[in-house]
Amino acid sequence: MTKAANTAVNTAANTREVTLKIGGMTCASCVARVEKKLNRLDGVEAEVNLALETAHVTLSQSVAVADLISTVEKAGYTAQLAGDVAGGHAGHEVPAEVAPHKINSSSQISQLTQSDKGLKSSRHADGNPKSPRAVGGEAAVKDPKTSRSHGLAKSLVIGLILGLPVMILSMVPALQFPGWQWLVAGLSLPVIGYCAKPFHRAAWQALRGGTATMDTLVSLSILVATIYSWAAVLFTPAGHIGMTMNMSLNPLEAASHVDGMGHAPEIYFETGVMITVFLLIGRFLEARAKSRARESLDALLNLGAKTATRVRRAASDTAAADVVWQETVVDVVDLKLGEFFRVQPGEKIATDGRVIEGVSSVDESMLTGESMPVAKTTGDTVIGATINTEGTLIVEVTRVGSQTRLAQITRLVTLAQAGKAPVARLADRVSAVFVPVVIGIAVLTFTGWLLAEKPLVSALSAGISVLIVACPCALGLATPTALLVGSTRASRAGILLSGPQVLEEARGINTIVFDKTGTLTRVKQISRVDLFDKNTPGMGLAPHESETPPQPGKFTEEIKPEAAPAISQLRELGIEPVMLSGDTAARAQRVADAVGIKQVVAEVTPEGKLAVVRDLQDEGKTVAMVGDGVNDAAALAQANLGVALASGTDVALAAADITLVNPSLTAVPAAIRISRATLRVIKQNLAWAFGYNILVIPLAAAGLLHPMLSGALMAASSVIVVTNSLRLRRSKILPDT
């Protein structure tokens, strides 16, 4: 082993990963602050996701999780170690060598299990190993997101009941009875104090942490409008009984309402109230949309069975010809390696295992996307969370908890969503300075209007509009919501993206290299029927003069039936296929002709595969490589985009950017399509987020937007971003989806 390799191994051995749930984040500025604070800690690398409300942290063994939580709390937010996910304890600390954005080898997964032992206290915080938290989060555990949605709904209802009279009285002079302004002032207090409390509390926490967020802008706008209005009714003619107000949605027109002493009988209680109401509507709709975006991931997390029928051989019948099993219903978390469980038709398979008795078919579509059930008999492996469709099976447990295939898939999907696409880095840099810049622009706007000898009421309205209309939350949601929806949409089709960087790599792919054996073809034992099957290389065709004629009982290759359609779909995407094979030129060419590949490189070594990929890249091509064996690993790693079949070796899986759990080769073009579609939505979201702020901030500074209208626009901008991301849920990425 080289010195560099030793260093890499030692570095991996000294690091681990955790996922923290972060509370109180509302915009991209919050994300930037939490990331900045965590990354200042020695030995810590953190990526914070607004849509998932998580921080994925890689840290050295010397850093305690308590230090991470303390750092987040000092920044003005809440943090806790993420709970169990799909039986895999996804929030637990794991060795860094287990955590790269690849499917892990079985030996690496075993290390994950060992690291879980130190966290049993957090897993069973109530001291009950069968608690809902331990089993996977039953209904008895209160969902904070649901609680928050209910809180938003309650505040919104109160805000609407009290706020609508405030707005109507302020905007319709005919309804303004003597003393109306004092009623409006009184009605606005509960809205400003109670309904807007989340904004004020978050702004105060940010201030204590020495920073500013979107909530700072909102709270400041509401308070300035309210304080000004109270000052007006207490100390100016605006408070006189009998005063009426002709409110204008254009601050420039407010100057025409100024009296001879420079006072304007225009108050802004409705501004503070309706800003609160509009933003509560936006937050509520945003929370609903984010919840819909998470539905696919939540469905994946909840695929696992909750209970299992554990069976043990009856003591008196261990030597009998017909084994008698004793049955006990247990929680899945109580199953141990080497134990047995029974699966009846229609039941979910409790965990990964090996069939020791019975014959059946298993529906694996929820994990692989393949609709046809797979036949299972003694000796075959089965995957937890899949559904037994026919006969009864007795299964030996071979993997539990974080070792299971479902846990691996869930972990990979979650990590892919937690990361950031390179295209999003610009948004991060802008968000880090966004709020201070907006506050500066608002101050300059207010000062400029006063220097231009405009009325105070107009200057105040323009300044508040600038504060309110700016929307850093749209920037913060642009990338993570699209990743959340896109990656879970792909996982439903049996396509696992290793991380957000895959999206940009997939965009420019124009050449795709296939390994032949095991990828385009599969090994099959020849039967007499196969001698006349033209879909099998050499079957029904005269063999090459250098080849031995096929004989029944021998093994040969057959072309996968979906290979030709997959190649055709890739060409439709503008991608040229190439086939590599260590086989003879004659056999390789016959497979290539059958599936529609024109460029073939035969009799190639593993080193030769790597060289071919490099040569194609040297020609200026962006190359994807599809393979499944150890001999493909180097080429997979070298390619711009590595795609491995889940049935392949651990080495190939570790080198790949995309893992296809779906056994059909049509998943290859599907992976390209979903990657490109997700990146396209991310760019649309970012274009909207940047374009919106670039357009409306100058309009607000010029006095062309009333603060109330600004609040409505700001709330709508975030909802538009999340709604656009939800379109990916309906994306047609497979022919039958």
Side-chain angles (χ1 to χ4, degrees), residues 181-502:
Q181 68 270 44
W182 292 98
L183 175 63
V184 164
L187 290 175
S188 69
L189 284 177
V191 180
I192 302 303
Y194 174 76
C195 299
K197 184 179 178 181
F199 307 118
H200 301 318
R201 181 172 57 238
W204 173 246
Q205 289 174 341
L207 181 63
R208 288 179 59 191
T211 188
T213 67
M214 185 199 75
D215 292 298
T216 305
L217 302 180
V218 173
S219 179
L220 190 59
S221 302
I222 293 172
L223 291 176
V224 168
T226 302
I227 292 171
Y228 169 84
S229 298
W230 273 104
V233 296
L234 289 172
F235 304 115
T236 75
H240 293 174
I241 301 298
M243 184 276 290
T244 60
M245 180 177 74
N246 293 306
M247 190 187 76
S248 171
L249 290 179
N250 185 344
L252 288 173
E253 295 182 10
S256 63
H257 304 153
V258 179
D259 62 21
M261 299 181 65
H263 298 130
E266 186 163 331
I267 51 181
Y268 285 96
F269 288 116
E270 85 290 340
T271 296
V273 166
M274 295 318 296
I275 285 174
T276 301
V277 171
F278 282 138
L279 292 184
L280 286 173
I281 292 173
R283 289 276 177 94
F284 180 72
L285 293 177
E286 179 186 315
R288 290 279 301 273
K290 285 165 69 176
S291 176
R292 289 179 58 201
R294 285 185 56 89
E295 282 178 1
S296 294
L297 178 59
D298 290 340
L300 177 64
L301 302 183
N302 293 321
L303 277 178
K306 299 297 185 293
T307 61
T309 303
R310 183 168 59 196
V311 295
R312 289 172 175 161
R313 289 184 174 91
S316 59
D317 293 297
T318 53
D322 295 325
V323 177
V324 177
W325 298 97
Q326 294 179 334
E327 298 185 356
T328 308
V329 177
V330 297
D331 290 328
V332 169
V333 292
D334 292 332
L335 287 176
K336 297 179 176 58
L337 293 177
E339 291 187 331
F340 305 96
F341 61 93
R342 185 191 301 276
V343 190
Q344 301 285 1
E347 290 183 346
K348 284 185 179 181
I349 295 174
T351 190
D352 294 2
R354 179 175 58 87
V355 177
I356 65 165
E357 183 181 301
V359 176
S360 184
S361 295
V362 175
D363 179 1
E364 299 180 345
S365 60
M366 68 285 296
L367 293 181
T368 67
E370 188 69 18
S371 58
M372 293 298 294
V374 180
K376 300 291 181 181
T377 188
T378 302
D380 290 339
T381 59
V382 291
I383 303 172
T386 56
I387 299 175
N388 181 28
T389 61
E390 295 179 358
T392 298
L393 298 175
I394 301 295
V395 180
E396 179 184 3
V397 177
T398 58
R399 290 184 177 182
V400 294
S402 56
Q403 300 181 29
T404 63
R405 177 68 67 87
L406 177 61
Q408 293 179 40
I409 292 173
T410 300
R411 176 176 173 75
L412 193 62
V413 172
T414 303
L415 288 178
Q417 294 169 347
K420 295 183 180 179
V423 71
R425 298 296 179 182
L426 176 61
D428 287 348
R429 290 194 292 269
V430 171
S431 300
V433 298
F434 186 89
V435 173
V437 168
V438 169
I439 292 176
I441 293 173
V443 171
L444 289 174
T445 299
F446 176 75
T447 305
W449 277 63
L450 291 180
L451 292 177
E453 299 183 351
K454 298 295 183 182
L456 173 63
V457 65
S458 298
L460 189 65
S461 178
I464 292 175
S465 291
V466 170
L467 289 175
I468 273 298
V469 81
C471 187
C473 47
L475 287 172
L477 291 168
T479 298
T481 53
L483 278 176
L484 173 64
V485 180
S487 57
T488 50
R489 178 70 183 89
S491 70
R492 283 165 48 199
I495 300 165
L496 304 182
L497 310 179
S498 66
Q501 74 283 352
V502 171

Side-chain angles (χ1 to χ4, degrees), residues 69 83 123 134 143 152 155 169 315 377 386 396 447 489 558 572 576 602 638 658-659 696:
I69 294 175
R123 232 161 58 205
D143 183 356
L152 286 171
S155 296
L169 286 173
T377 188
T386 56
E396 179 184 3
T447 305
R489 178 70 183 89
E558 69 171 2
E572 292 175 1
E576 184 63 28
Q638 174 64 34
I658 296 176
T659 300
V696 298

Side-chain angles (χ1 to χ4, degrees), residues 4-16 58-61 96-97:
N6 274 317
T7 301
V9 170
N10 291 334
T11 300
N14 290 327
T15 60
R16 64 197 194 282
T58 302
L59 63 158
S60 65
Q61 297 289 352
E97 64 268 27

